[in-house]
Amino acid sequence: QVQLVESGGGLVQAGGSLRLSCAASGRTFSNYAMGWFRQAPGKEREFVAAISRNGDSTYYADSVKDRFAISRDNAKTTMYLQLNSLKPEDTAVYYCAASASLYYSGAFKVGYPQTRRYNYWGQGTQVTVSS
């Protein structure tokens, strides 16, 4: 299995920035499409951003478009999420996820926001944005 560990969360004021990291181990990192999801108290898990196996394509939820940036470094087997211009509504536990079933670009472009398409999940890291 692939083990995923998130880090970088914390408390930040509105307008501030954070950089989240997701370190992967156990399997060939480049075989997996990757995604970030978040879950706020009382709400369901929602899609935030996704990146293809080789980083050639990315997708973002409308709520974070132009504020967040997803990236990956396959040599370091690590995925990142840069969070800029943070808002209180961004407060949530952020999870990284890996998908083997989204290996192909055709599947990825359709399945990237679907939680059920991701095989492995990290433990989550808390992001709290104060006003």
Side-chain angles (χ1 to χ4, degrees), residues 28-90:
T28 303
F29 184 63
S30 61
N31 285 347
Y32 298 88
M34 301 290 294
W36 286 98
F37 295 78
R38 66 187 183 186
Q39 186 166 22
K43 298 186 65 178
E44 66 180 5
R45 185 174 51 200
E46 68 174 351
F47 166 76
V48 176
I51 187 166
S52 60
R53 293 186 296 109
N54 300 121
D56 58 310
S57 62
T58 59
Y59 295 95
Y60 297 91
D62 289 342
S63 60
V64 306
K65 189 75 174 181
D66 300 323
R67 296 192 298 120
F68 293 4
I70 189 171
S71 62
R72 66 190 295 165
D73 187 336
N74 286 351
K76 295 182 178 180
T77 66
T78 302
M79 177 182 64
Y80 306 94
L81 184 68
Q82 179 68 42
L83 300 80
N84 297 319
S85 301
L86 283 163
K87 305 174 181 179
E89 51 263 44
D90 294 319

